């Protein structure tokens, strides 16, 4: 069958021989430890890494395309390639190319009818109907060539079975010669002598102890093939100690140790559970635990890694002590150095993050984020929360403490009666709703998360914490506005309380005061006067009522003008119809400012204007000082000198004489005489 590129899946359960990376054949296991090969190059996007079992791919393609799995396996093998560099090579599989080849073969096989004479002949000779049609298709319907193809396939299959049997026998012989200690399936790690002398017990004591052996547990109750997403539930939150076995299908020692650990778990009666992780399929776990060789076995108690070993155990005593140390038995607890303890703590934290992230799906993250934003928005709208940003920040601090200390029970409790907590959160329903969204529940005066769990899944808390950080940055301005508004309301309430009942009575009187919707509130003023008159008139009153309120007898005056600048209204008393219109018709409702101008004549007394101008004119004759008129200037082009007036006061003295002023007067008279003849000529 190799000649046709066909390698059917084996039936012994170890169906990964053709899928193993070529480098796995070159791995040398020493002292029961197999180093994990390092991958330096990634395959192309459409190619599948060697960790994917080709047999599983063949079964899936056979189911999807409704064909025999032998055909899909042949296509996968024919389209596979060897890639890598000089130091490392690996077999990669191209699923799309395999699909294309399968479809082409199906089209070719469909050309051979099932009820054809050649097909009937081959099936009567004992060959499979599907393979007979395929052989006839390849042989172009030549019966003899098709029979030769089927015979060659049968010979290849027999050779493969013989090679697999020889390989298994050789592996068993190598394991026996390597000196690995076989972990007996009847090993009971919980059954240990209390003292060294008790190792040699009588047969009667042995029979009594055998009666005390725990009842074997069901396989499905104590042995689990887990994924990264199940580590949180099966390992970290396990009620019993856990053996975490990291293995690979290509690892020889793993195939020996795995069954022994399974038998131990079953015969322990549920005292511990065995969780198996395929390192090739669950890379996040292998990376979190920094696995470098297989098999790697970790002892986990109360959600924490307490010890580990790599490879095959060297003796039964070593394995027995390891198991008793897992149960916490003092004489057999593993001696762990400070450096090892810190390393185990670091690995535990990495495992918590990897498993928590994998167990919290993307849909759950989106749902939690939406609910958190909705609950946080309610904080801004809730007037009973005095400090929104302070409350959100305090909640974030509580979540951060739990994330950093997932095992410590004290960080999972929030005392609502604490002064700092009560001042910002208290029993406010909006704040408690935010905490309940991430899993907190109220118990008396406390809020508790992860009650009864040894270790808490921190993934939801991490999402909620990040959501609060982003929400605070995005809504800082709105929170400040809401805080100022609440502060103003509190200050207003405090002022009202301080003023007492008098203020309350006045406010109540103002509240019950009713305003007539038909009234018109007016502010009246006569032009030229500053006095303002407040009056209330009815909307149906005529405009003349305004003049009556001011005491203006508009019939006796030449003209009276009523002006409302806001309403752009100007009405003169000479307009009888406008004067008779009501205030409502003029649009003066509900209030307006009105100016009344009395007297329509704009003539002025010219003589009075001349007298006022003459009075304001500064006299230019005679000698005077600048001090006498209150002017102290150095730049007015007059002839003057500084005079000490005493007391630290300096003033300027005009030193021009009367002769200069007389000359100025004569010059003015000459100009007047020169203009007079011109005026007389114009009159003529």
């Amino acid at each position: 069958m190799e000649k046709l590129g066909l390698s059917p899946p084996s039936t012994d359960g170890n169906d990964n021989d053709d899928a193993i990376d070529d480098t796995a054949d070159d791995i040398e296991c020493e002292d029961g430890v197999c180093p994990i090969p390092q991958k330096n190059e990634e395959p192309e996007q459409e190619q599948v890494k060697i960790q994917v079992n080709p047999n599983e791919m063949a079964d899936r393609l056979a189911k999807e395309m409704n064909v025999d799995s032998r055909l899909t396996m042949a296509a996968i093998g024919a389209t596979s390639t060897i890639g890598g560099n000089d130091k490392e090579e690996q077999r990669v599989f191209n699923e799309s190319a395999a699909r294309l080849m399968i479809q082409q073969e199906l089209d070719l096989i469909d050309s051979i009818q099932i009820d054809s004479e050649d097909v009937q002949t081959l099936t009567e000779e004992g060959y499979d109907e599907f393979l007979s049609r395929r052989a006839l298709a390849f042989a172009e319907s030549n019966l003899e060539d098709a029979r030769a193809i089927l015979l060659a396939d049968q010979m290849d299959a027999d050779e493969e079975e013989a090679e697999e049997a020889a390989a298994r026998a050789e592996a068993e012989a190598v394991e026996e010669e390597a000196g690995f200690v076989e972990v007996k399936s009847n090993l009971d790690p919980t059954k240990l002598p209390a003292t060294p002398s008790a190792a040699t017990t009588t047969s009667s004591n042995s029979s009594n102890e055998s009666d005390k052996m725990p009842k074997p547990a069901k396989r499905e109750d104590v042995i689990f093939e887990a994924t990264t997403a199940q580590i949180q539930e099966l390992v970290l939150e396990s009620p019993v100690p856990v053996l975490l076995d990291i293995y690979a299908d290509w690892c020889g020692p793993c195939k020996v140790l795995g069954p022994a650990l399974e038998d131990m778990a079953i015969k322990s009666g549920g005292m511990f559970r065995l969780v198996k992780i395929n390192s090739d399929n669950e890379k996040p776990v292998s990376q979190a635990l920094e696995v470098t060789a297989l098999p790697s076995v970790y002892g986990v108690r109360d959600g924490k890694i307490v010890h580990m070993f790599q490879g095959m155990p060297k003796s039964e005593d070593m394995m027995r002590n390891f198991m008793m140390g897992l149960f916490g038995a003092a004489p057999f607890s593993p001696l762990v150095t400070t450096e090892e303890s810190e390393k185990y703590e670091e690995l535990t934290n990495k495992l918590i993050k990897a498993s928590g992230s994998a167990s919290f799906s993307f849909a759950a993250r989106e749902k939690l984020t939406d609910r958190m934003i909705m609950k946080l928005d309610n904080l801004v709208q809730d007037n009973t929360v005095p400090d929104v940003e302070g409350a959100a920040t305090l909640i974030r601090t509580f979540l951060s403490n739990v994330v950093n200390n997932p095992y410590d029970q004290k960080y999972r409790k929030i005392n609502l009666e604490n002064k700092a907590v009560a001042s910002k959160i208290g029993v406010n329903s909006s704040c408690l709703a935010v905490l309940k969204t991430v899993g907190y529940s109220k118990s008396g005066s406390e809020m508790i998360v992860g009650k009864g769990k040894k270790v808490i899944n921190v993934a939801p808390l991490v999402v909620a914490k990040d959501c609060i950080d982003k929400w605070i940055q995005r809504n800082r301005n709105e929170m400040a506005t809401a805080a100022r508004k609440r502060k103003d309301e509190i200050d207003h309430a405090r002022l009202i309380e301080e003023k007492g009942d008098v203020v309350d009575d006045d406010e109540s009187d103002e509240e019950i005061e009713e305003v007539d919707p038909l009234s018109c509130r007016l502010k009246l003023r006569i032009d030229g006067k500053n006095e303002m008159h407040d009056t209330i008139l009815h909307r149906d009153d005529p405009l003349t009522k305004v003049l009556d309120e001011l005491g203006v007898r508009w019939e006796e005056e030449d003209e009276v003008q009523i002006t409302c600048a806001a309403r752009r209204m100007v009405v003169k008393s000479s307009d009888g119809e406008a004067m008779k219109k009501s205030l409502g018709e003029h649009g003066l409702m509900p209030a307006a400012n009105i100016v009344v101008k009395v007297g329509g004549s704009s003539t002025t007394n010219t003589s009075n204007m001349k007298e006022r101008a003459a009075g304001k004119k500064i006299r230019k004759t005679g000698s005077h000082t600048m001090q006498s008129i209150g002017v102290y200037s150095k730049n007015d082009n007059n002839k003057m000198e500084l005079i000490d007036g005493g007391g630290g006061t300096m003033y300027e003295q005009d030193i021009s004489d009367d002769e200069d002023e007389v000359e100025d007067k004569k010059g003015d008279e000459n100009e007047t005489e020169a203009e007079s003849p011109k005026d007389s000529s114009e009159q003529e």
Side-chain angles (χ1 to χ4, degrees), residues 612-632:
R612 288 197 296 272
K616 293 180 181 180
K617 187 175 181 181
I618 299 177
R619 181 169 54 89
K620 290 186 179 181
T621 60
S623 178
H624 60 277
T625 67
M626 298 302 291
Q627 184 186 22
S628 63
I629 60 175
V631 178
Y632 299 92

Side-chain angles (χ1 to χ4, degrees), residues 256-554:
V256 178
L257 180 63
L261 297 179
E262 293 178 4
D263 289 340
M264 289 171 53
I266 293 174
K267 293 183 178 181
S268 68
M271 295 186 64
F272 73 95
R273 63 173 52 168
L274 175 65
V275 179
K276 301 170 67 67
I277 295 291
N278 190 317
S279 62
D280 292 337
N281 298 337
E282 303 299 331
K283 289 294 184 182
V285 177
S286 299
Q287 293 172 357
L289 296 177
E290 300 179 3
V291 177
T292 58
L294 299 176
S296 292
V297 181
Y298 295 83
V300 182
R301 185 177 68 245
D302 297 335
K304 298 179 181 180
I305 298 175
V306 295
H307 204 14
M308 64 88 61
F309 68 85
Q310 286 183 339
M312 294 291 293
K314 302 304 180 183
S315 64
E316 285 192 17
D317 290 340
M318 175 266 178
M319 189 64 194
R320 193 185 301 272
N321 291 342
F322 180 86
M323 293 301 300
M324 291 307 297
L326 177 63
F327 296 137
F332 306 97
S333 296
L335 298 177
V336 180
T337 64
T338 303
E339 183 179 356
E340 290 177 337
S341 178
E342 293 177 353
K343 184 62 177 180
Y344 292 151
E345 183 178 356
E346 179 184 351
L347 295 179
T348 301
N349 292 332
K350 290 182 178 181
L351 185 63
I352 290 174
K353 293 180 180 179
S355 60
S357 178
S359 64
F360 200 52
S361 64
F362 178 79
R365 292 171 185 270
E366 292 296 312
K367 184 177 180 180
L368 176 59
T369 300
D370 293 340
R371 292 183 61 189
M372 282 294 298
I373 292 176
M374 181 182 67
K375 299 300 182 182
L376 291 171
D377 289 341
N378 292 340
L379 286 180
V380 180
Q381 305 299 330
D382 193 345
N383 294 329
T384 61
V385 182
D387 184 4
V388 177
E389 183 174 358
T393 303
L394 184 59
I395 293 175
R396 182 203 175 281
T397 302
F398 289 138
L399 300 181
S400 181
N401 289 338
V402 179
V403 171
N404 296 330
N405 304 274
Y407 295 97
D408 202 331
Q409 296 285 341
K410 70 178 181 180
Y411 290 107
R412 305 183 194 176
K413 299 180 181 180
I414 301 176
N415 184 8
L416 300 178
E417 295 181 351
N418 181 276
K419 292 183 179 180
V421 177
S423 62
K424 295 184 178 180
I425 297 178
V427 293
N428 184 273
S429 59
S430 298
C431 296
L432 299 182
V434 175
L435 293 171
K436 291 178 180 178
T437 301
V438 294
Y440 277 86
S441 60
K442 196 170 187 299
S443 177
S445 60
E446 294 181 336
M447 295 292 291
I448 304 176
V449 64
K451 186 176 181 180
K453 293 184 178 181
K454 297 178 181 179
V455 59
I456 190 171
N457 187 356
V458 299
L461 304 183
V462 172
V463 173
K465 180 172 68 70
D466 295 341
C467 184
I468 292 176
D469 290 337
K470 296 177 181 178
W471 182 84
I472 289 177
Q473 293 296 331
R474 187 171 57 251
N475 297 275
R476 195 177 298 275
N477 293 335
E478 294 183 8
M479 289 187 292
T481 302
R484 288 194 298 269
K485 181 180 178 181
R486 280 189 287 271
K487 183 177 182 302
D488 293 342
E489 292 175 353
I490 294 174
D491 293 341
H492 180 68
R494 179 175 54 79
L495 290 174
I496 292 177
E497 184 179 356
E498 291 177 354
K499 289 182 179 179
D501 298 336
V502 177
V503 175
D504 295 339
D505 294 339
D506 293 341
E507 290 181 354
S508 61
D509 294 342
E510 292 179 0
E511 291 177 358
I512 62 176
E513 182 180 357
E514 296 182 359
V515 179
D516 187 0
L518 301 179
S519 62
C520 180
R521 297 175 178 271
L522 300 178
K523 291 183 178 296
L524 309 178
R525 183 174 64 85
I526 298 178
D527 186 29
K529 297 183 179 180
N530 296 329
E531 185 179 1
M532 187 69 70
H533 300 271
D534 293 332
T535 183
I536 300 177
L537 301 179
H538 195 274
R539 62 171 295 173
D540 296 332
D541 290 339
L543 190 59
T544 57
K545 189 71 173 178
V546 173
L547 302 179
D548 296 341
E549 290 293 326
L550 293 175
V552 176
R553 301 182 179 277
W554 57 279

